[in-house]
Structures are given as structure tokens and as C-alpha cells.
Amino acid sequence: MPSRLDARQRAAQLTDACARLNQSLRLDVRVRGRVPVEPSIIVANHLSYLDPLAVAEVVPVGAVAKSEIMGWPGVGEAATELGILFVKRGCPRSGSVALRAMMRLLDAGVSVLVFPEGTTSTGGDVLPFSRGAFGIAQLKRVPVVPTTIRYGTPEACWVGDDWLLPHAVKLHRFDRVSVDLVFGPSLQPSTFGDAAELAEATRQCVRSLLLP
């Protein structure tokens, strides 16, 4: 099992790697709200493969990603080395392994980034949230931080059957791509009856920051 120092070091390394990568991708991250400093579960809407890069540049985190990323040449290997947690969608065993890993990160003092919609969207609304991470928040008594991601151009969204490489090439035609990262007020799990109630309250906070 990784030591407390290892977990924090990996989170710091992930932040450094994302900052460098965002420079090469010409991604400008603009932050509003209070950036969480205590171990938290950061819950964000999901628009693109760029989302975790934007958040991890600002906050040292351990992140949960879909298992398909492990097969991306170069990306999967680097993500594994930096301690990204991979989940095979629709596989309960994989999900439970990831939840246990999330608890170890929180115990080590590292925040966790999750995208509980489970898939990307164009940002018109926020899909229903899966409840797993919210049960962990209640169990570990750590705050949940609703976080909203918005891009300056709709072309930054990566949804449906888009191929990664053509999308990245198309995006590289822009001089800069701005992303607004809005951290909402922390939600304390003890003030909610159960994980479902906490999940819906968090979703509504994310929606309120996203929609006009």
C-alpha cells in the first residue's frame, strides 16, 4: 500500500504534469471560488478529457477515470504512474476497488476528483449522479466540493462517438482554449440524510453554477 508521503507526492506530480500539458495544449484555466485545501471529494460536471487536466492543475488530487484510458498510447501508462484510479463502467467489482482506493487517498490527506455523471455531455445540463463517492464522503466525513467546468468554445466538449485524435487536432487550431473552473461552497455530509440526498444536493449546486 502506498505511504502517506507517496500519495501526496503523486498528487503533486500530477499537478505539475497537468500544468505542463495544459501549456502545450494551450489551455487557459481561470478559477473562481475557494480552492479546497483540506482533503475533499471534488465533484464536477463532465464535458471533455480536458476536464481532469484543468482541475488537477489547480488542486493536487487523485482522480478516477474510465478504464478505456489505460489503452490510450502513452496516456494510459503515464496516468497509471501518476496514480489515477481506473474504473470499468458497469463492473461492480471494479467500482468497489476504486472506492476503496479513494478512501486510502483521503486517509493520506489527498483530495479525490470524481465525475459522477459517468459520461461526458455538451454542458446543456448536468446528468444524474451515481452515489458511490457520496457514500464515501459520509463514511469518511470529508466535505464535498461542487465544481463546475465551462469552456470558452463548444468545440472543447468531447462527447458521443468522437475519436480522440481528430478532436485533439481540431482543438489545436485554436490559439487558446479557455476553461472556467468554479468551486462552489463545500457541503458537509453530516447535514444530509443519506448518500442519495447528498448526491442530488451536489448536482443541484453544480447545475446552479452552470446554467444561466
Side-chain angles (χ1 to χ4, degrees):
M1 179 184 301
S3 70
R4 178 182 296 263
L5 184 59
D6 287 339
R8 289 182 175 177
Q9 283 179 330
R10 284 190 172 191
Q13 288 170 353
L14 180 60
T15 291
D16 290 342
C18 288
R20 292 194 301 270
L21 185 55
N22 289 345
Q23 279 190 334
S24 68
L25 292 172
R26 295 178 287 194
L27 188 68
D28 286 333
V29 182
R30 305 182 299 200
V31 179
R32 287 194 303 151
R34 177 182 174 272
V35 177
V37 293
E38 68 274 30
S40 309
I41 295 181
I42 300 170
V43 176
N45 60 316
H46 200 12
L47 306 175
S48 173
Y49 56 86
L50 299 170
D51 300 345
L53 304 180
V55 177
E57 177 184 333
V58 176
V59 188
V61 294
V64 178
K66 60 183 181 181
S67 59
E68 290 93 328
I69 291 176
M70 296 178 69
W72 294 0
V75 177
E77 296 167 358
T80 301
E81 181 65 25
L82 290 169
I84 302 299
L85 311 175
F86 293 104
V87 178
K88 185 176 182 180
R89 289 181 290 187
C91 176
R93 182 178 181 279
S94 176
S96 110
V97 169
L99 290 175
R100 289 195 296 272
M102 286 170 55
M103 288 191 282
R104 290 196 294 270
L105 284 170
L106 293 167
D107 287 340
V110 176
S111 292
V112 177
L113 169 64
V114 297
F115 300 98
E117 290 174 284
T119 188
T120 54
S121 74
T122 58
D125 202 350
V126 180
L127 301 173
F129 285 173
S130 59
R131 292 177 290 178
F134 300 95
I136 297 299
Q138 292 197 309
L139 181 65
K140 291 297 182 180
R141 299 179 182 177
V142 296
V144 170
V145 181
T147 305
T148 297
I149 299 170
R150 291 183 300 211
Y151 290 96
T153 174
E155 283 84 356
C157 296
W158 187 53
V159 297
D161 297 325
D162 283 357
W163 290 88
L164 175 63
L165 186 57
H167 181 270
V169 169
K170 179 177 68 175
L171 203 59
H172 209 65
R173 296 172 185 164
F174 291 88
D175 289 335
R176 309 295 298 178
V177 174
S178 65
V179 52
D180 290 314
L181 197 59
V182 185
F183 293 102
S186 297
L187 301 180
Q188 297 301 325
S190 59
T191 62
F192 297 90
D194 56 22
E197 185 179 336
L198 176 57
E200 184 55 24
T202 306
R203 176 174 175 262
Q204 293 305 326
C205 285
V206 173
R207 290 183 82 231
S208 70
L209 297 171
L210 176 68
L211 302 176

